Amino acid sequence: MTASTPLLGIPLDNTVSINPSMPHPAYYRMKPLWVKCRALLAGSDQVRALGTDILPQMEGESDDAYAVRNVIAALHPGFAKAIDVTVGLMLAQEPVLGADC
């Protein structure tokens, strides 16, 4: 990683098109993560439906054993609760605008 490339690898120079109809490369890098986040928010059924995309099959695990694990997998709702709490904390106090606003 260079000084001109931040953590997500988004270039800080003018190498990316500013055409609004063209998604930024960072959009394509983040999209798989959004699919996983949405599945975690949706719950166990959605995680099961995505199969190995989100619940990987372990090395040496038979297809039958994976199918059973996928059916009995239960997702704790902690991810959704963490988002609710975080949003609540951000909105707990009215924002204070500075004199320049």
Side-chain angles (χ1 to χ4, degrees), residues 47-81:
V47 170
R48 289 182 195 120
L50 289 175
T52 56
D53 290 341
I54 195 166
L55 184 65
Q57 188 169 356
M58 296 181 199
E59 186 176 330
E61 183 177 30
S62 70
D63 291 342
D64 290 340
Y66 175 79
V68 169
R69 186 166 61 93
N70 190 16
V71 168
I72 65 172
L75 182 64
H76 184 273
F79 185 70
K81 287 182 182 182

Side-chain angles (χ1 to χ4, degrees), residues 13-75:
D13 54 20
N14 293 328
T15 60
V16 177
S17 171
I18 58 170
N19 181 347
S21 69
M22 302 287 295
H24 193 280
Y27 171 86
Y28 295 109
R29 287 193 298 273
M30 294 300 295
K31 192 173 181 180
L33 297 175
W34 298 331
V35 170
K36 288 180 182 180
C37 286
R38 287 184 183 121
L40 290 172
L41 282 172
S44 299
D45 290 339
Q46 183 63 31
V47 170
R48 289 182 195 120
L50 289 175
T52 56
D53 290 341
I54 195 166
L55 184 65
Q57 188 169 356
M58 296 181 199
E59 186 176 330
E61 183 177 30
S62 70
D63 291 342
D64 290 340
Y66 175 79
V68 169
R69 186 166 61 93
N70 190 16
V71 168
I72 65 172
L75 182 64

Side-chain angles (χ1 to χ4, degrees), residues 93-101:
Q93 295 180 345
E94 288 288 327
V96 178
L97 302 178
D100 59 341
C101 291

